[in-house]
Each structure stands twice: as structure tokens, then as C-alpha cells.
Amino acid sequence: MGCISSKQIKYTHSYEDPVLLASETSFTVSEVEALYELFKKLSFSIIKDGLIHKEELQLALFQNSNKKNLFADRIFGLFDAKRKGAIEFGDFVRALSVFHPNTPKSEKATFAFRLYDLRHTGSIEKVELKEMVLALLSESDLQLSEDIVEAIVDNTFKQADSNGDGKIDEEEWEEFVTQNPAILRNMTLPYLIDITMAFPSFVMYSETNDADIII
């Protein structure tokens, strides 16, 4: 993919310098510039203001701008770093960088932990994990019985909750994903190295077994 000259780009008010963003993320300058063209396309898909709103992100992820889903809400919330109700270009690049193949696993683990910490308490509780498992299953069109979902949650806590207090803190989570690296595989999108104009899907239709479908 050829580099897009910065002279060709029509900037919006949320634009940030590609060189600065490349220095802060796993992307190269040319990849950041390509992402800006993608950002513009998304940010004018419904509300034409140069920002990505929740409906626009959901349309890109799930081809449905009105679908209500916890997973979509969590992804939007983590991308909307400034809590403005809309995603600026810099926030888009910084959050997407977590999924780059060259991003350290420790950063991916931290992002995944925040994804599951629904109530922002600094820990993951069983009810939060179950809610996210159900949301991910819904997006992946997978049907599992209540017993199997409960077994997934219980098995995860059996492995991860090392102090037995009924919740997984960040240190326990880091140890858990170190011992089970496959859990973070959906935190890497290989084609971000060679970005195209097709928005990468965060819903990975997995070839997994029941035990590791939670991520």
C-alpha cells in the first residue's frame, strides 16, 4: 500500500499529526495516514462532523447502527478516551494500536482487563465476566447453554482468582494471560500491518473451544 502524502489529506478538527501519533503507537507514519482516510470515511458515515459516534462505530463493526450490545458499548467507551461521546482521530489511532501485532502483550492484557472491568472497580467479578461472555457469544452467533456459560466463568475464576476472594485483580489477570496466551489472540489483528480501507472487525469468529471463547 502506497503512502498517502499529508498534502493530499483534508484535515478535520480532530486531526493530529501522524508523526506524533506514530511515535506514541505501534503504527508507522504511513499507516497513521492511511488510518486517517479510514477515520474520515467512518466519521462521515452517519453524523457528518468528522468524529466517530457510537452509531458509526457499531455500523462499522456489526453492519448495524442501532444494535444494542455490551461488547460494542465497551469498545466504544475504551476508544472514547476523552469521554466526549465521540471518538477523535488521535484516540482512534491510540486505541486501535493495541490490536497491532507489534504492540507488547502487556498492553494488550491491560486493554482486555479494562474491557471486562465493566464497573471500573479495578477488578473483574463473575457477573461482569458472564455478561461479557454472553455479549461475545451474541456477536459471534454462537449458542451455548446456561450450564456451559457458567462452566466457562467458573473455570476462568478457578484458574485466575489465585487468592480466592471472588474477583480477579489486574495482577491476577496478568498472571492468568501469561499462563494462557491464547486468551489474547483476538487482541491482535495481523492486517493492521498492511492497512486497507476495510475497517478491521473486532469480533473474531473463533475456532476456539468453549474454555477460551471468553476473549
Side-chain angles (χ1 to χ4, degrees):
M1 182 176 179
C3 174
I4 301 172
S5 168
S6 59
K7 293 181 180 179
Q8 296 176 285
I9 295 176
K10 183 179 180 181
Y11 304 134
T12 69
H13 60 84
S14 71
Y15 177 78
E16 286 189 44
D17 178 48
V19 175
L20 175 62
L21 287 172
S23 72
E24 296 178 354
T25 66
S26 297
F27 293 111
T28 65
V29 174
S30 60
E31 286 171 343
V32 173
E33 290 176 333
L35 281 174
Y36 187 67
E37 291 300 309
L38 177 59
F39 177 84
K40 286 196 298 181
K41 180 179 179 181
L42 294 178
S43 65
F44 284 88
S45 60
I46 299 176
I47 303 170
K48 306 183 187 305
D49 63 354
L51 299 168
I52 297 178
H53 296 262
K54 184 181 291 187
E55 299 89 343
E56 292 168 324
L57 185 64
Q58 289 186 176
L59 179 63
L61 292 175
F62 312 121
Q63 290 77 54
N64 186 328
S65 62
N66 297 314
K67 188 173 184 177
K68 301 300 182 183
N69 184 272
L70 176 63
F71 179 67
D73 288 345
R74 293 300 295 147
I75 288 292
F76 182 84
L78 292 177
F79 272 61
D80 180 19
K82 297 182 178 68
R83 300 291 183 265
K84 296 177 62 175
I87 302 168
E88 297 182 351
F89 176 56
D91 295 333
F92 176 72
V93 174
R94 291 182 183 95
L96 198 58
S97 177
V98 173
F99 297 87
H100 196 286
N102 294 340
T103 297
K105 289 182 179 179
S106 59
E107 293 184 28
K108 296 177 185 290
T110 297
F111 188 94
F113 181 83
R114 293 171 61 203
L115 187 67
Y116 283 81
D117 180 13
L118 302 179
R119 292 160 181 76
H120 312 289
T121 61
S123 63
I124 302 170
E125 299 180 6
K126 278 192 175 183
V127 65
E128 294 174 313
L129 181 58
K130 184 177 179 179
E131 287 178 37
M132 283 298 295
V133 170
L134 292 173
L136 287 168
L137 288 172
S138 174
E139 287 307 327
S140 301
D141 292 324
L142 295 174
Q143 299 292 327
L144 295 180
S145 69
E146 178 77 11
D147 288 345
I148 293 177
V149 172
E150 290 287 353
I152 291 172
V153 173
D154 288 343
N155 183 59
T156 300
F157 267 75
K158 183 178 179 180
Q159 295 182 61
D161 181 18
S162 57
N163 65 11
D165 65 353
K167 55 189 177 183
I168 303 170
D169 61 32
E170 192 160 0
E171 183 176 342
E172 290 173 324
W173 176 259
E174 290 175 0
E175 180 64 23
F176 179 57
V177 298
T178 297
Q179 295 175 356
N180 301 271
I183 287 174
L184 294 180
R185 70 175 164 273
N186 287 353
M187 294 298 299
T188 296
L189 303 175
Y191 36 83
L192 285 181
I193 289 180
D194 184 21
I195 298 166
T196 69
M197 290 298 104
F199 186 74
S201 174
F202 290 93
V203 180
M204 311 302 282
Y205 294 93
S206 135
E207 301 174 357
T208 68
N209 58 44
D210 292 343
D212 57 21
I213 199 170
I214 65 172
I215 303 300

